[in-house]
Structure formats: structure tokens, C-alpha cells
Amino acid sequence: MTEKCVMASAGFMADAVTLKKTLKARCVSYEFQNNKEMGCVSFAQMLSNTLYYRRFFPYYTFNIVAGLDKEGKGAVFTYDAVGSYERTNYSCQGSGQGLIMPVLDNQLKTVSPLVLPAQSSATPLSESEAVDLVKDCFATAGERDIYTGDSVEIWIINKDGLRKEYQDLKLD
């Protein structure tokens, strides 16, 4: 969506395309009016507002927004169909979620949100370790879930900018 923020959607693709077009138009309008790109946290709030506005006839999409916040730290936001969202350290959506989340929880050693006082559960990974973990997760989901597609685009955002890598999943 911007140089510091990407969005992934699972669910009904026609709704996902419509939502993306709407959000892209709002990002362009914001950039024109403010002479700067919309930040990741601002984009996350805008997506929540857009989804909530359609709550009585919602977009059938389940979204994740990821990017860099103002401090240059990673930010991940996960959404339901009516705009409720939460900032997390990692997330996934879609048909392979039940296969991928346990792997992420295990590898990133998440502390339960019920533990008090609250503890940071961020397990530091290098960029290459994070990309390898994502590839492993999607390879596993691709083998076991018939609804997971034939390939995955992995978007990498760092201080140098934005790039993407492809990985084929089903090679048979």
C-alpha cells in the first residue's frame, strides 16, 4: 500500500480487490493532501474504520497489515471482517491459519497474553531467519491444506525499502 506498509487479505477475493482499490485511493488522496505517505499505524486505523463502516454488509476479508512504525520498528496488525484489530508480533489469516499459527507460536516462543505483568514476547530473528521461517510455514500449509495456493509472495520491509520474494509451494 505504501513503501513502509503492506496488506494481505484472505477470504472472498472480489471483496479483497475492492477493499484494496478503496484503500489505495485513500492513500493517494492522503499523500496529495499532506505531501507525505501515510504511515503504517495510520493505515491500520484507516483500514479498521473502513471495515467498521461496512459492518452491516461487510467485506468478507480477513486482513493483516504489516510495516514499519514511526520508530522504524516492525508493526503487525490483524483484523476480523468488521474492523476489530490488534497489534501483535506476528499473525496469519486464511485457510492455513490453523497449521501455521502453532508453528509460529512454537518458533517465536510467545508468552501468553494472560501472564501478568505483561511481558514482551518478541523473539528477535534476523531477516534471513524470518524469511526462512515464513517459507517453512507456507510449505507445510501448502502440503496439508488444499485451499492454500500454489505459490506465496513474501514481502520484506526494512530500512532500505520494500522487496518481494516468491516461493512455489506445490511442486507435484
Side-chain angles (χ1 to χ4, degrees):
M1 302 310 290
T2 70
E3 286 297 313
K4 301 283 186 192
C5 184
V6 295
M7 181 180 85
S9 297
F12 184 48
M13 282 310 297
D15 280 353
V17 169
T18 302
L19 179 61
K20 182 178 178 182
K21 284 181 182 179
T22 301
L23 295 171
K24 191 63 178 170
R26 289 184 181 166
C27 284
V28 169
S29 176
Y30 178 91
E31 188 173 349
F32 180 73
Q33 291 173 353
N34 297 287
N35 294 322
K36 65 178 183 176
E37 275 191 337
M38 183 179 290
C40 186
V41 176
S42 299
F43 180 84
Q45 182 64 54
M46 182 182 67
L47 174 56
S48 176
N49 294 347
T50 303
L51 293 172
Y52 186 73
Y53 175 75
R54 292 279 307 252
R55 69 190 175 280
F56 298 116
F57 188 59
Y59 291 113
Y60 186 70
T61 61
F62 302 90
N63 304 287
I64 295 174
V65 170
L68 300 176
D69 62 13
K70 288 180 182 176
E71 292 88 42
K73 294 181 182 177
V76 177
F77 301 89
T78 185
Y79 295 79
D80 67 5
V82 292
S84 178
Y85 75 110
E86 172 185 22
R87 185 172 179 166
T88 61
N89 291 318
Y90 57 89
S91 186
C92 68
Q93 296 280 13
S95 63
Q97 179 180 19
L99 298 168
I100 293 174
M101 278 306 284
V103 175
L104 292 175
D105 288 340
N106 178 271
Q107 294 300 307
L108 300 175
K109 297 173 181 51
T110 297
V111 176
S112 170
L114 302 175
V115 173
L116 294 175
Q119 299 176 7
S120 173
S121 61
T123 301
L125 294 177
S126 69
E127 183 179 301
S128 63
E129 290 172 330
V131 170
D132 288 343
L133 177 59
V134 170
K135 287 179 179 180
D136 288 346
C137 287
F138 274 98
T140 299
E143 289 297 320
R144 291 170 180 79
D145 177 35
I146 62 171
Y147 300 110
T148 298
D150 294 333
S151 65
V152 63
E153 289 180 359
I154 302 168
W155 289 82
I156 299 143
I157 304 171
N158 58 28
K159 62 179 171 47
D160 299 326
L162 184 67
R163 73 175 201 281
K164 71 179 166 180
E165 293 184 13
Y166 292 96
Q167 178 176 333
D168 291 326
L169 297 178
K170 298 173 183 166
L171 302 175
D172 51 352

